[in-house]
Amino acid sequence: MDSSDILCAQRLAEAARDAIRPLYRGAWSHERKDDHSFVTEADRAAEAAMRAIIEREYPADGIIGEEYGNRNPGAGRQWVLDPIDGTTSFIAGRPIFGTLIALLEEGWPVLGVIDQPILGERWLGVTGQGTLFNDRPVHGAPCRELSDAVLATTSPHLFSGEQIEPFMKLSGAVAHRKIIWGGDCYNYGLVASGHVDVVCEAGLKLHDFAALVPVVEGAGGVMCDWNGEPLNAESTGEVLAIGDPARLEDVLEAMQ
C-alpha cells in the first residue's frame, strides 16, 4: 500500500457521495434482500461508481462488494465496499449512515474510510498512521472506569441466541444512561473521535467491519472479536471497538 491507494480511497468516497446525495430524502425505490435487510438504488449506484474506478485503476485487485459480489477473489489485495452502511437510517432520512471503504492485504485491513456524505464527515485510517477526521488528527478518549463508559450498538434485536447474554452483561457494567441505540458505522467514527467509548455488535459481515479497523486503531483504540482476537477476513462478525485500550480486559471480563 502507498499514497496512491489513499488517494484512490478518497476518490471512491467522493464518487459514492455524488451518487448518494441526490437521492437522500428523495424519491427512490428500495427492496428487501434475502437476509431481510434493505437495499436502495442509492446503494447500487454508489457501489457501481466505486467499482468502476477500481476496475479501471487497479484491474488486478479484488473487490468484495455488498451489492455486486466479488471480483478477482484470489487477489492478495482486496477492496471491500459497503456503499451505505445503515440503509435503514438512509431510508428514514437520518444522516448517521456511511460509506465504508477498506483495503485488505492478505486478508488484513490496512486502510479504511468511514464517509458520511450528507454531513460531509470523513474518517481515514491507515495502518501505521494516525487517523484523520476531515484531514485533522483525532484520538479516542481516555476512560478511567467501565462504569463511566458510553456504550453504543445498532440494535439489541440484532443479537441472537447466546449472543444476548454477553451483551446484556456488558450493558449492565457501563453507565446506563449513556447507552446509545442506532448508528451503524457512525458509532465507530465517534469512538475514533473520542465521543463514544465502546461499541459492541454481532452478526457483522466483512464489508461491515473491515474499514472500521484502521480508523479505530489509528486513533489509539482497539478493535477485536469477543475473545479479544484481532479482526481479519476470517473473523466471525462478533465485534468490539474500544477507544481506550486500557478498558479492553474490563470489557471482556464483563461479557463472561
Side-chain angles (χ1 to χ4, degrees), residues 8-84:
C8 180
Q10 299 272 27
R11 290 199 302 276
L12 298 179
E14 291 297 330
R17 281 187 180 188
D18 290 344
I20 293 168
R21 280 173 165 170
L23 297 172
Y24 181 65
R25 294 181 180 173
W28 34 259
S29 62
H30 71 274
E31 61 189 67
R32 191 185 297 269
K33 297 189 286 188
D34 291 341
D35 64 358
H36 302 293
S37 64
F38 292 101
V39 59
T40 71
E41 59 186 278
D43 293 85
R44 294 189 171 119
E47 183 170 324
M50 292 189 288
R51 293 176 79 102
I53 293 172
I54 298 169
E55 290 171 3
R56 181 177 67 249
E57 299 188 14
Y58 295 97
D61 286 1
I63 302 174
I64 300 171
E66 181 179 17
E67 307 305 337
Y68 291 111
N70 298 351
R71 175 181 180 271
N72 294 346
R77 287 166 42 104
Q78 297 279 339
W79 294 88
V80 184
L81 308 175
D82 190 345
I84 299 181

Side-chain angles (χ1 to χ4, degrees), residues 139-145 148 194 197 243-247:
H139 202 278
C143 181
R144 293 184 178 181
E145 300 288 342
D148 293 330
D197 299 302
D244 186 346
R247 300 281 71 79

Side-chain angles (χ1 to χ4, degrees), residues 92-247:
R94 302 176 70 202
I96 53 172
F97 59 91
T99 297
L100 298 180
I101 300 159
L103 177 62
L104 306 186
E105 292 186 349
E106 305 301 334
W108 293 92
V110 296
L111 182 156
V113 172
I114 304 172
D115 189 78
Q116 211 308 307
I118 307 306
L119 301 177
E121 297 181 337
R122 182 177 301 164
W123 289 266
L124 170 67
V126 179
T127 297
Q129 301 181 25
T131 293
L132 301 177
F133 172 66
N134 287 355
D135 297 325
R136 295 186 176 184
V138 289
H139 202 278
C143 181
R144 293 184 178 181
E145 300 288 342
L146 187 58
S147 60
D148 293 330
V150 177
L151 171 67
T153 194
T154 298
S155 171
H157 300 292
L158 297 179
F159 298 100
S160 61
E162 67 277 5
Q163 298 167 343
I164 297 174
E165 185 177 358
F167 173 76
M168 293 305 297
K169 288 181 177 179
L170 176 59
S171 64
V174 303
H176 294 181
R177 292 183 179 273
K178 294 182 180 179
I179 298 177
I180 297 170
W181 307 117
D184 297 281
C185 65
Y186 197 73
N187 289 332
Y188 297 83
L190 296 178
V191 170
S193 290
H195 305 301
V196 170
D197 299 302
V198 182
V199 180
C200 177
E201 296 194 288
L204 301 189
K205 298 177 182 178
L206 181 61
H207 57 255
D208 295 314
F209 68 78
L212 311 175
V213 177
V215 171
V216 172
E217 294 185 346
V222 60
M223 280 198 68
C224 60
D225 66 17
W226 287 11
N227 295 314
E229 297 298 324
L231 300 173
N232 58 36
E234 303 302 319
S235 297
T236 60
E238 295 180 337
V239 168
L240 291 168
I242 304 169
D244 186 346
R247 300 281 71 79

